[in-house]
Amino acid sequence: MSENNSKHAVVTGASTGIGAATVRKLRSEGWHVVAVARRADRLERLAEETGALPFAADITKDDDVAALARFVAENGGLDTLINIAGGARGADKVGEARNDDWEWMFQANVMGTMKMTKAFLPALRANRRGTVLNLTSTAGLVAYEGGAGYNAAKFAQHALTNALRLEEVENNLRVIEIAPGLVHTEEFALNRLGGDAAAAEKIYQGVAEPLTPEDVAEVVGYAVGLAHHINLDQIVIRPVAQAANHKLIRA
């Protein structure tokens, strides 16, 4: 099975967690990578470590995305767009929903993915062997109590991904969705729960082996590294202890 030999990727959400792990994974396999996130200091450290090209940008802002597209074009272009950036805020039920949290989640998960994809579609279409990989979540496949805002955002991102695959197949664009379950990252639960470290750690308490960012990055690297005619439409990845969103084994 031949590999994807066109290895120029843009990775968002690269300052931490799955995004940073994905940059490390791709660089270890010889990819040229532009690493994108809001926090320039973290990107610089990642660039020093891996050799990736850093670009500080807020993917929800049109001017930032346009500047990023110019930067990528000036630095070798791309054949692979990996949309990792996103996240959750709050665990409120619908009756206690906070407008700001919902708006942030839709901006980060849906609008950011749309703006990045729209900005790079001309280059990906011209390439004729382009790939878009969107990191969604099992929260975008099955709803749960206290997750409505994140569910809604990730369901929307999941739908966007499916529509994109149908719309761009005539341009030979490969569109991949990876939907992780429980992943123990540095910041996801902490940010979701307003910085409450004790509450965030309880999310993972007693779970013998939750997924790590490196686990997910391994799957991302595999999916985008396959020969281009192979499309892994949707990959659901969970720890063995999580048989479903509602069934998690704790010691």
Side-chain angles (χ1 to χ4, degrees):
M1 184 183 297
S2 62
E3 294 183 351
N4 172 20
N5 294 316
S6 299
K7 294 187 171 183
H8 284 69
V10 173
V11 179
T12 69
S15 63
T16 189
I18 296 169
T22 296
V23 172
R24 294 186 180 101
K25 174 65 177 175
L26 295 183
R27 287 293 299 149
S28 75
E29 296 183 348
W31 285 70
H32 177 282
V33 179
V34 176
V36 183
R38 289 177 293 107
R39 292 177 288 186
D41 55 337
R42 284 179 171 249
L43 285 180
E44 290 295 340
R45 290 196 293 272
L46 183 64
E48 290 173 5
E49 173 194 342
T50 64
L53 289 179
F55 193 92
D58 182 338
I59 63 165
T60 69
K61 294 184 177 178
D62 294 342
D63 289 347
D64 283 17
V65 173
L68 170 62
R70 291 192 295 270
F71 177 82
V72 171
E74 293 164 1
N75 286 276
L78 87 163
D79 51 76
T80 302
L81 172 63
I82 302 178
N83 290 308
I84 303 288
R89 282 193 181 173
D92 301 318
K93 296 182 179 180
V94 175
E96 290 78 44
R98 301 179 186 181
N99 291 354
D100 289 348
D101 287 346
W102 281 59
E103 289 170 0
W104 183 89
M105 285 186 281
F106 269 83
Q107 285 292 324
N109 295 286
V110 184
M111 298 303 293
T113 296
M114 180 275 288
K115 290 181 179 185
M116 285 291 297
T117 304
K118 181 180 177 181
F120 286 103
L121 268 180
L124 292 167
R125 288 166 175 162
N127 182 280
R128 295 299 299 176
R129 295 176 65 82
T131 297
V132 175
L133 186 149
N134 291 338
L135 189 84
T136 61
S137 170
T138 55
L141 307 177
V142 179
Y144 55 89
E145 293 172 277
Y150 189 52
N151 291 145
K154 285 300 186 182
F155 265 86
Q157 190 186 29
H158 164 72
L160 180 161
T161 304
N162 285 347
L164 181 69
R165 187 180 300 112
L166 295 170
E167 292 167 356
E168 297 297 331
V169 65
E170 293 177 22
N171 295 308
N172 202 34
L173 185 69
R174 178 169 64 172
V175 180
I176 301 166
E177 176 184 6
I178 294 182
L182 185 70
V183 186
H184 193 173
T185 67
E186 177 187 1
E187 295 184 329
F188 178 84
L190 191 65
N191 289 338
R192 183 173 198 173
L193 299 175
D196 186 334
E201 196 55 36
K202 285 183 180 179
I203 300 294
Y204 312 102
Q205 191 171 27
V207 181
E209 292 181 289
L211 296 178
T212 67
E214 290 73 25
D215 293 332
V216 181
E218 186 75 23
V219 178
V220 172
Y222 175 77
V224 299
L226 287 171
H228 186 269
H229 70 282
I230 302 169
N231 197 107
L232 300 180
D233 285 11
Q234 183 186 74
I235 306 166
V236 176
I237 171 174
R238 308 180 197 263
V240 171
Q242 188 182 35
N245 279 11
H246 68 279
K247 188 173 180 68
L248 180 65
I249 301 302
R250 301 180 187 270

